[in-house]
């Protein structure tokens, strides 16, 4: 017997749902899974402190932060060493640039691909979006936040800031975390996704 997902069950009860509702449901599922990961001692970056974890703080899910960006592939990009919180310098390259509007303003962010991960079957289509914004150090973690993406088929890419998450370094020492490049500093506060860790 097939398992009926929560969203499919809603469709059965109430009929069609909007594209925005589907994306909001996807963000809810992402946030629930992220919390479950941190609660699981076998997966949690908190290691032996996982049982003490009380859950993440998230901003209220807001469809205004789900943007369909114009995506321009970067041709002949040169590999570079991305700075981290340690001396480790993993090799990335700029895969493309996403341009989108939030609050009536247009912004662009660079999207990267890890040379190491693209060699693996599981992550060969994985793209990495690290960013900073003016909420850093206030509502959100000082070191910025990350979003995981997939290589798009066309010239647009969906970016859901409700799925922004913190690097492991926000929670525990001993990790080496990428530092968002300067070109990915947004001049506005992105009040979506994960907040800074609870005190």
């Amino acid at each position: 017997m097939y398992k009926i997902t929560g969203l499919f069950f809603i469709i059965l009860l109430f009929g069609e749902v909007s594209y925005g509702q589907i994306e909001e449901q996807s963000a809810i599922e992402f946030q629930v899974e992220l919390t479950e990961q941190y609660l699981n001692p076998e997966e949690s970056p908190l290691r032996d402190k996982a049982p003490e974890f009380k859950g993440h703080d998230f901003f209220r899910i807001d469809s205004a932060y789900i943007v369909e960006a114009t995506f321009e592939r970067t041709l002949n990009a040169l590999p570079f060493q991305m700075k981290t919180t340690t001396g480790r310098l993993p090799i990335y390259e700029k895969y493309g640039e996403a341009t989108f509007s939030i609050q009536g303003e247009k912004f662009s962010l660079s999207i990267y691909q890890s040379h190491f991960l693209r060699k693996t079957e599981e992550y060969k289509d994985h793209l990495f979006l690290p960013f900073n914004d003016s909420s850093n150090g206030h509502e959100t973690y000082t070191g910025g936040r990350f979003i995981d993406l997939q290589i798009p088929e066309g010239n647009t890419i969906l970016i859901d800031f409700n799925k922004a998450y913190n690097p492991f370094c926000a929670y525990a020492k001993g990790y080496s975390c990428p530092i968002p490049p300067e070109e990915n500093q947004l001049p506005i506060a992105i009040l979506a996704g994960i907040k800074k860790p609870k005190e």
Side-chain angles (χ1 to χ4, degrees), residues 87-107:
R88 186 177 68 93
L89 294 170
I91 304 299
Y92 282 81
E93 69 180 49
K94 181 176 176 179
Y95 193 86
E97 188 166 304
T99 302
F100 55 92
S101 294
I102 290 180
Q103 299 172 3
E105 295 186 66
K106 184 175 286 188
F107 305 101

Side-chain angles (χ1 to χ4, degrees), residues 80 82-85 109-110 112 128-133 136 141-147 165 167 177-186:
F80 72 97
M82 186 173 288
K83 294 180 180 178
T84 67
T85 54
L109 288 171
S110 295
Y112 308 95
F128 180 52
L129 174 54
F131 70 96
N132 286 313
D133 65 274
N136 293 166
Y141 177 57
T142 304
R145 291 176 289 168
F146 304 157
I147 297 175
Y165 64 93
C177 302
I179 297 173
E182 291 183 9
E183 62 186 356
N184 274 12
Q185 172 71 51
L186 292 173

Side-chain angles (χ1 to χ4, degrees), residues 7-43:
L7 182 60
F8 184 57
F9 184 66
I10 292 172
I11 294 173
L12 289 177
L13 286 178
F14 302 107
E16 292 185 2
V17 295
S18 70
Y19 175 75
Q21 288 174 304
I22 293 173
E23 290 306 320
E24 288 180 17
Q25 178 66 25
S26 176
I28 291 171
E29 292 173 357
F30 170 84
Q31 293 181 0
V32 169
E33 290 175 4
L34 187 65
T35 297
E36 290 176 348
Q37 176 193 355
Y38 276 67
L39 289 169
N40 184 346
E42 295 182 1
E43 298 182 6

